[in-house]
Amino acid sequence: MSSIPPGATIGILGGGQLGRMMAMAARSLGYRVQVMDPDPSCPARFVVDACFEGSWKDAKAAANLARGSDVVTLEIEQIAIESLEAASRFAPVRPGVAMMRIIQDRILQKNWLKDHAIPVGRYEPVRSSHELQSAIDRLGPQCFIKSARGGYDGRSQAKHGFEGGAANEDIAAIWKLLGERDCIVEKAVSLEQEISVMVARSPSGEIKCFPSARNHHENQILVWSVIPSSIPSLLEEQAHSLAIRIAEALGLEGVLAVEMFVTIDGELLVNELAPRPHNSYHASERACDTSQFEQAVRAVCNLPLGDVSLVRPAAIANLLGDLWLEREPRFDAALAVPGVHLHLYEKHMPRKGRKMGHLSAVGNTPDEAVARVLEASGRL
Ligand SMILES: Nc1ncnc2c1ncn2[C@@H]1O[C@H](COP(=O)(O)OP(=O)(O)OP(=O)(O)O)[C@@H](O)[C@H]1O
Ligand SMILES: [Mg+2]
């Protein structure tokens, strides 16, 4: 299969921070880039040749993007299947429509993983408030309830059976909160830690796995992440082999982040799949020989994949809109910490919980990289 050479045009469905950073990597390789996004002032707008305005359901806008593109990829999994199909009439869409259909729906995704003998935690799909109650009776009391479709950063999710303000004990209220739509109920896993593995596969079948990242979430939002994760080498091998099996069985063309739980019994369970660059691999820009963004470009253009070896440990900390609510963050103080860099996404409206940017830091060890990035974010 031939490659799409530098100089060609890449269309990206979605112009958020992931689209922006992918576009920057693509530009650096000499590609032209255009994006489609509902917001004409999206983060990618300053770094691309053209920005098409259109919602994820706007098949016409997706087709227009594809018409002027040599290949189309995406930065968000919620692009409507009709839009992906419309785009695929004009340019190859990578990752492909069949795989996106499975990933977009948490129920289909979990069933697919289970059918392919990939270890996942206990879960049940539910279609009514009554089914929700019986699933919690069987799996609970501690459960995560997630809408089958939509949702990121813990949105469209509820917790049951936990102490404290975030949890909700009223089943009818949870059902209502999640929009009275199909959901998945997951038994809460006792976590030792969370990791992710980014795997890239090109249309020719070349496949490469980045070293695993260790991820720290609070209130279901990623706070910091570090590469490498420092898990034992046997577990690392198992994590890679799971990611490779998934990528091959899905016929991945592009990159795929496999989020995993390491249970307190040392078992690996797959949490969810993200068929695009992932927040937990932003540190790959500094930790690895090839960044996740460049790798995504190489994969969708069917170029040889880049070397993913670890160059040095690096960590990131997310900057949420909360930081802006009272005053501008003190970037100068943060940047005075050795090894620290600032990455802002040029979003104009800071909102609570909105990802506005991140800090990255290198260190001689993963712990040092995390300590530096947290020190810097503490100074903001
Ligand atoms: N079954 C579970 N057991 C324990 N913790 C869980 C479970 N499900 C979710 N969590 C916690 O909530 C976080 C977010 O969950 P999940 O990845 O399903 O949601 P998301 O909205 O897609 O998040 P993101 O966009 O950050 O990936 C997980 O990383 C984990 O910390
Ligand atoms: Mg997740």
Side-chain angles (χ1 to χ4, degrees):
M1 191 181 293
S2 58
S3 61
I4 294 163
T9 301
I10 302 176
I12 307 176
L13 293 159
Q17 64 266 23
L18 300 177
R20 173 187 166 96
M21 290 184 274
M22 217 192 311
M24 283 156 72
R27 296 214 80 99
S28 166
L29 281 162
Y31 288 95
R32 306 191 66 182
V33 187
Q34 39 187 19
V35 296
M36 182 192 94
D37 197 274
D39 177 5
S41 61
C42 62
R45 73 197 179 285
F46 290 130
V47 301
V48 295
D49 298 283
C51 194
F52 293 73
E53 194 176 336
S55 76
W56 308 145
K57 288 186 192 148
D58 190 340
K60 226 169 164 178
N64 284 339
L65 175 85
R67 243 186 225 112
S69 302
D70 296 289
V71 62
V72 170
T73 187
L74 49 92
E75 60 123 40
I76 177 162
E77 46 273 37
Q78 306 310 338
I79 309 290
I81 293 296
E82 300 70 49
S83 303
L84 296 173
E85 282 172 343
S88 68
R89 286 195 269 281
F90 299 98
V93 173
R94 297 174 178 159
V97 184
M99 165 174 160
M100 293 309 300
R101 215 186 278 277
I102 297 167
I103 289 187
Q104 277 182 359
D105 185 304
R106 281 187 194 275
I107 300 175
L108 292 182
Q109 189 190 124
K110 272 265 157 59
N111 289 343
W112 185 92
L113 289 167
K114 204 169 158 188
D115 293 345
H116 287 77
I118 302 294
V120 293
R122 286 183 62 199
Y123 71 95
E124 286 189 26
V126 295
R127 299 199 157 74
S128 67
S129 166
H130 178 71
E131 286 185 13
L132 175 60
Q133 178 70 67
S134 16
I136 289 177
D137 291 344
R138 279 188 291 272
L139 300 175
Q142 293 198 328
C143 289
F144 286 76
I145 304 107
K146 308 177 181 178
S147 288
R149 298 182 150 268
Y152 61 97
D153 293 342
R155 290 169 219 200
S156 302
Q157 293 197 11
K159 281 159 103 176
H160 178 276
F162 290 84
E163 309 239 316
N168 192 338
E169 299 312 299
D170 181 347
I171 305 290
I174 293 178
W175 183 247
K176 205 156 184 172
L177 178 80
L178 297 181
E180 305 181 313
R181 291 174 298 151
D182 292 1
C183 286
I184 190 162
V185 181
E186 295 180 12
K187 185 180 177 61
V189 173
S190 302
L191 300 177
E192 172 69 33
Q193 57 175 289
E194 293 190 58
I195 62 163
S196 46
V197 175
M198 177 62 72
V199 56
R201 185 177 173 279
S202 68
S204 303
E206 193 190 1
I207 200 155
K208 279 196 172 146
C209 256
F210 284 81
S212 69
R214 176 176 180 191
N215 307 323
H216 177 76
H217 291 78
E218 285 170 22
N219 301 320
Q220 290 138 281
I221 298 190
L222 185 72
V223 176
W224 58 259
S225 178
V226 63
I227 302 173
S229 70
S230 313
I231 57 173
S233 56
L234 193 64
L235 211 55
E236 179 81 2
E237 277 170 35
Q238 286 171 5
H240 281 219
S241 120
L242 285 176
I244 288 170
R245 269 170 57 200
I246 294 169
E248 282 182 338
L250 283 170
L252 170 70
E253 295 178 338
V255 294
L256 175 77
V258 183
E259 296 181 14
M260 300 184 200
F261 297 143
V262 182
T263 71
I264 49 170
D265 303 322
E267 198 188 353
L268 278 179
L269 299 176
V270 170
N271 172 33
E272 61 168 354
L273 308 177
R276 49 165 171 81
H278 193 259
N279 195 174
S280 65
Y281 272 86
H282 291 353
S284 63
E285 284 192 309
R286 311 200 56 210
C288 303
D289 194 49
T290 305
S291 78
Q292 64 164 343
F293 304 110
E294 179 176 341
Q295 196 74 312
V297 173
R298 288 182 180 229
V300 301
C301 292
N302 202 30
L303 290 172
L305 297 179
D307 176 14
V308 289
S309 321
L310 183 81
V311 177
R312 59 193 165 176
I316 63 104
N318 277 330
L319 305 180
L320 301 182
D322 312 47
L323 271 171
W324 273 256
L325 295 183
E326 294 195 349
R327 51 168 175 76
E328 272 297 294
R330 295 192 181 97
F331 296 121
D332 52 348
L335 288 170
V337 178
V340 168
H341 290 261
L342 174 66
H343 312 251
L344 288 179
Y345 310 146
E346 296 186 88
K347 293 184 183 175
H348 289 313
M349 304 262 264
R351 282 193 302 271
K352 218 172 158 357
R354 189 176 197 207
K355 288 174 182 166
M356 302 293 291
H358 64 273
L359 292 171
S360 64
V362 292
N364 290 317
T365 62
D367 284 347
E368 185 180 45
V370 173
R372 281 175 165 178
V373 87
L374 292 183
E375 185 191 341
S377 66
R379 291 183 179 196
L380 289 170

